Amino acid sequence: MSWSALDASLEPPDPALSRGRRRLVLVGVLFVALFAGLGLRLLHLAPEERTAEAAPEPAPVEPLRRRPDLLDRRGELLATDVPVPSLAVDPLQVGDPRRTAERLARIVGGIDPSVLERRLVKAKAAGRRFEWVAHRVSPAAERAVLEAGLPGIVLRTSEHRVYPKGHAAAHLLGFVDIDNRGLAGVEHALDHGRLSALRDAREIALSLDLRVQEALRDELGRAFREFRAIGACGLVLDVRTGELLGLVSLPDFDSNLGGGARPEQRKNRCTGGSYELGSLFKVLSHAAALDSGRVRVGQRFEIPPALRIGRHTIRDVHPARRPFTAAEIFSHSSNIGTAQMVFAAGGAEPLRAMLGRLGLFERAPLEILEIARPQVQKSWPDVVTATVSFGHGIAVSPLRFAEAVASLVGDGTLVRATLLKRPHDAAIEPGPRVASRRTVEDLRWMMWLTVADGTAKKAAVPGYLVGGKTGTADKPGRGGYRRGAVLASFVGVFPLDAPRYLVLAIVDEPKATAASGGTRYGGQVAAPVVGSVIARIGPLLGVPPSDPAVEARYKERWSAMRPTAAVATGGPRLAALDPRR
Amino acid sequence: MSLRPAILTGIAALFAAMGVFELKRLVHERERELARLERAIAEEKARIRTLRADLAWLGRPERLVTQARQLGLEPARIDRFVRTDDLPDAVALAFAGRSLTVELAAGEAIELRFKPILAPALPLRPSGGTRP
């Protein structure tokens, strides 16, 4: 029987029949209501719950705040984050702590099963739901743990900082702790210092050039080992832009294992230490004297065997036996001559003004935080002026000194070092002028003379006009200067006809060897390092050979000023500078 | 009241409910697919990052230095720089387009070709090499 048949019946009402119909309708309505209810319930229930379930499903693989990648100036990867699994357990879900501990110890390694077991039991008793087992396990160990099918295992992926180039630029890059927080160098500065604005960048291009860095580390490391030094610092600075292309402090460490490095390895000697740089400082005091206008390059000075100032006596390592021109005072590195020059130029006042203009009394504003404060005397009586003129009684960081020399030899405007790569199209904004063009030109020439016919002949590089200044500074100790402990150094600039790069090398406490001719002078220890570095990085950086015309002009100037027959000619060496050979 | 429309409405409502149910299921499936793809993308990205780190590790200086030595490479030297002004133009033209086979220490042979330097001031010699 169908509904329509029921509906269509038009027979006279039979009370029994109509009762039956009413009941049927009632049952029908009940069924419809039931199905409708079920349908609605279905609609309401099932898909709703399942979509709600699906929402957290895309497991956040990159939930952590990544650190920016660090690149060198050519895009080489220096530091990056890599996702690495870490292993933990939920102690409440662990049924058999002993078995779990033993199996995990077998898979992961480096875990004492009995210690882990005790920890698990303790955590379980305390009702804790999370206990670390091992940070940073290998992918193979991760798979083995999953395959073991132990209950209560938690695997968490976390970011792990890696430094693919190991030792390269460890002092600049720095390192991070287990939670990826920066503890030194650029990493530290990203979290707490001047680079924190870049913390959320995807990558940061540093001014470093990995090739330069490696050449510098290689050559400096050779001197460091050969002279059994206790430390060394080397840096390469772009004289025009202030970009640091390389910075090496020895002994160094592997950034991947930064936390395990010893303090002497961690110390950044180029920026984090202040040193009395000795004769290197004559670059600055000569610049001050020449820039005062009261001293000329060709002016002659009597050089007495000893200079008495009050109770103090100043001597030269190699006493001069004739009057020196200012240029010769520089190239022969005479302490007495330099002091006399500075006094002839007006004493403390012009020297202090020059050092102040160069920023030697302040900390270098580099991006990293490991920057030493300079140590300067409060008052400048004559004896302080004299000692400062040849680099004692004032301690500055090598970086700060390099900036000062770059400012003076570049184009006479202030240069500020930076660790960030300068955009290609950025115009170079010259800083305030610190020395006149004439002083710059004189200084370049005197630095050339030092390499061509002075204390730094070992820094000469065929093809390039190299200029520089050597330093051999006594190291201060308790109650005066220590006997036999020196800082051998050399600052070089090339190519002198259009200065582009500054290379500084400092070797801390070298021991005299046969290779250095039994001496520890900067000219024997540090100048060869700078020479080799320049020979290696010059072609890499695309620096063309120097213009022979400039060298000819320099030679001419020297022969015009040179005291007749008093100095042996540098004939063969000067000839070797011809780039065509 | 007529029963038929009520019944038809009920049936239509049931079909509509089924339709909506099916639609929701499809959407849900798509969402799962999307989540799966997103996870796969994230995993691939993580892999790429790991591979980049691997690549950089393979290019670490110590390794390159050793390999360069094995390949017989030597550092660039400044005396290998030649100013183009110093080259006699005739030399440049004589070698223009010529090729030279160089055998690398690794055993591979590569072909180097001299680049012609245009020097319009000079008369071109008919025998002065072929230009590519």
Side-chain angles (χ1 to χ4, degrees), chain A residues 3 43 47-48 50-51 54 57-58 61-62 66 69 77 80-83 159 164-165 214 462 464 539 543 545-546 580, chain B residues 3 14 17 20-21 24 28 31 35 39 42 46 49-50 52-53 56-57 59-61 76-79 81 83 86:
Chain A
W3 287 96
L43 213 62
E48 220 80 52
R50 287 183 65 183
T51 39
E57 223 172 290
V61 181
E62 277 186 288
R66 274 186 60 196
D69 287 351
L77 192 62
T80 187
D81 278 352
V82 168
E159 298 291 345
K165 309 296 185 193
E214 181 54 24
Y464 288 130
V543 180
S546 293
R580 282 168 192 250
Chain B
L3 211 53
L14 268 178
V20 173
F21 177 78
K24 280 207 170 185
H28 175 67
E31 272 174 354
R39 208 160 45 225
R49 273 162 53 202
T50 312
R52 263 185 87 204
W57 165 248
R60 63 193 185 277
R77 290 208 316 266
I78 187 61
D79 56 7
F81 269 67
R83 283 172 203 275
D86 296 351

Side-chain angles (χ1 to χ4, degrees), chain A residues 28-47:
Chain A
V29 168
L30 266 173
F31 266 96
V32 169
L34 203 71
F35 274 104
L38 272 176
L40 280 175
R41 181 70 184 139
L42 198 68
L43 213 62
H44 177 250
L45 237 182

Side-chain angles (χ1 to χ4, degrees), chain A residues 194-529:
Chain A
R194 290 184 51 205
L195 293 177
S196 49
L198 295 172
R199 179 63 176 79
D200 290 320
R202 256 188 62 229
E203 52 187 37
I204 299 175
L206 299 178
S207 61
L208 292 174
D209 187 322
L210 192 62
R211 303 168 307 175
V212 172
Q213 179 74 23
E214 181 54 24
L216 187 63
R217 180 166 184 259
D218 190 32
E219 297 295 342
L220 194 66
R222 195 169 299 158
F224 175 72
R225 289 186 298 275
E226 190 176 74
F227 296 107
R228 300 195 307 279
I230 63 164
C233 148
L235 58 85
V236 177
L237 188 70
D238 187 320
V239 168
R240 291 201 273 195
T241 64
E243 290 170 289
L244 260 174
L245 266 64
L247 184 147
V248 177
S249 171
L250 296 177
D252 61 1
F253 58 94
D254 186 335
S255 280
N256 293 301
L257 312 167
R262 298 189 306 276
E264 73 264 27
Q265 285 176 300
R266 284 198 207 176
K267 179 167 181 160
N268 185 342
R269 290 162 202 272
C270 294
T271 65
S274 289
Y275 300 96
E276 296 187 32
L277 291 172
S279 304
L280 280 192
F281 235 70
K282 285 173 192 160
V283 179
L284 314 184
S285 44
H286 276 247
L290 294 171
D291 209 51
S292 74
R294 294 188 199 124
V295 174
R296 285 170 296 104
V297 176
Q299 193 172 333
R300 279 174 210 279
F301 290 87
E302 285 293 332
I303 314 286
L307 185 67
R308 285 194 67 86
I309 301 174
R311 297 180 293 116
H312 304 271
T313 310
I314 294 164
R315 289 178 205 283
D316 277 335
V317 182
H318 305 291
R321 294 191 180 82
R322 58 182 172 80
F324 272 172
T325 56
E328 286 170 302
I329 290 174
F330 189 86
S331 68
H332 290 263
S333 199
S334 161
N335 291 348
I336 296 171
T338 304
Q340 283 185 314
M341 257 185 84
V342 167
F343 286 125
E349 193 271 319
L351 183 60
R352 246 179 126 159
M354 174 60 83
L355 298 185
R357 279 205 297 281
L358 291 167
L360 266 287
F361 303 139
E362 303 142 29
R363 268 161 42 141
L366 197 67
E367 285 86 358
I368 56 175
L369 287 100
E370 293 93 345
I371 304 287
R373 211 169 269 290
Q375 290 154 35
V376 188
Q377 307 273 6
K378 283 219 172 56
S379 64
W380 286 43
D382 280 352
V383 66
V384 169
T385 306
T387 55
V388 166
S389 76
F390 50 82
H392 285 285
I394 181 166
V396 298
S397 67
L399 173 77
R400 193 88 240 201
F401 174 75
E403 283 179 338
V405 176
S407 307
L408 288 171
V409 200
D411 62 352
T413 57
L414 199 63
V415 173
R416 283 284 166 258
T418 176
L419 274 176
L420 297 178
K421 184 186 176 185
R422 158 185 289 274
H424 260 303
D425 44 1
I428 301 169
E429 262 180 54
R433 179 154 286 281
V434 290
S436 69
R437 284 188 195 286
R438 197 185 150 158
T439 307
V440 170
E441 199 43 56
D442 286 344
L443 212 55
R444 285 183 193 169
W445 179 72
M446 294 199 305
M447 288 172 88
W448 167 81
L449 188 61
T450 308
V451 174
D453 194 9
T455 54
K457 288 177 186 157
K458 287 197 172 180
V461 179
Y464 288 130
L465 272 181
V466 178
K469 180 76 193 82
T470 56
T472 311
D474 289 323
K475 287 184 74 176
R478 202 172 295 165
Y481 285 93
R482 283 161 58 194
R483 226 166 227 295
V486 297
L487 218 55
S489 54
F490 181 73
V491 59
V493 177
F494 83 102
L496 264 189
D497 41 334
R500 201 53 223 281
Y501 299 104
L502 175 146
V503 184
L504 173 68
I506 299 176
V507 181
D508 194 355
E509 290 191 26
K511 318 290 182 292
T513 66
S516 66
T519 64
R520 294 175 308 247
Y521 296 124
Q524 307 293 326
V525 175
V529 173

Side-chain angles (χ1 to χ4, degrees), chain B residues 16-92:
Chain B
M18 275 168 68
V20 173
F21 177 78
E22 183 63 17
L23 204 66
K24 280 207 170 185
R25 197 184 60 76
L26 279 176
V27 169
H28 175 67
E29 222 158 65
R30 282 292 153 89
E31 272 174 354
R32 278 173 70 114
E33 175 72 7
L34 183 71
R36 195 185 63 73
L37 284 177
E38 271 173 357
R39 208 160 45 225
I41 290 170
E43 265 163 27
E44 282 305 309
K45 274 187 178 164
R47 245 169 67 80
I48 289 170
R49 273 162 53 202
T50 312
L51 289 174
R52 263 185 87 204
D54 265 352
L55 184 67
W57 165 248
L58 288 175
R60 63 193 185 277
E62 305 96 280
R63 184 165 174 276
L64 290 188
V65 166
T66 322
Q67 299 224 324
R69 217 171 284 139
Q70 283 164 358
L71 286 169
L73 305 176
E74 49 178 78
R77 290 208 316 266
I78 187 61
D79 56 7
R80 300 279 170 92
F81 269 67
V82 178
R83 283 172 203 275
T84 44
D85 301 348
D86 296 351
L87 275 182
D89 293 334
V91 173

Side-chain angles (χ1 to χ4, degrees), chain A residues 81-170:
Chain A
D81 278 352
V82 168
V84 176
S86 290
L87 182 62
V89 292
D90 176 354
L92 284 190
Q93 285 186 40
V94 174
D96 183 351
R98 161 162 300 170
R99 188 168 154 271
T100 304
E102 274 172 4
R103 296 206 57 181
L104 286 182
R106 210 175 313 139
I107 293 167
V108 179
I111 298 178
D112 185 343
S114 54
V115 173
L116 181 59
E117 187 193 335
R118 266 202 302 281
R119 272 174 57 206
L120 289 182
V121 170
K122 214 171 142 191
K124 204 169 173 176
R128 268 199 308 251
R129 298 297 306 266
F130 192 87
E131 191 72 19
W132 281 117
V133 176
H135 287 283
R136 294 165 192 179
V137 296
S138 67
E142 182 191 20
R143 211 173 320 120
V145 167
L146 287 176
E147 276 165 7
L150 296 164
I153 295 297
V154 183
L155 279 162
R156 286 213 176 157
T157 302
S158 59
E159 298 291 345
H160 174 30
R161 194 72 159 162
V162 293
Y163 302 89
K165 309 296 185 193
H167 285 77

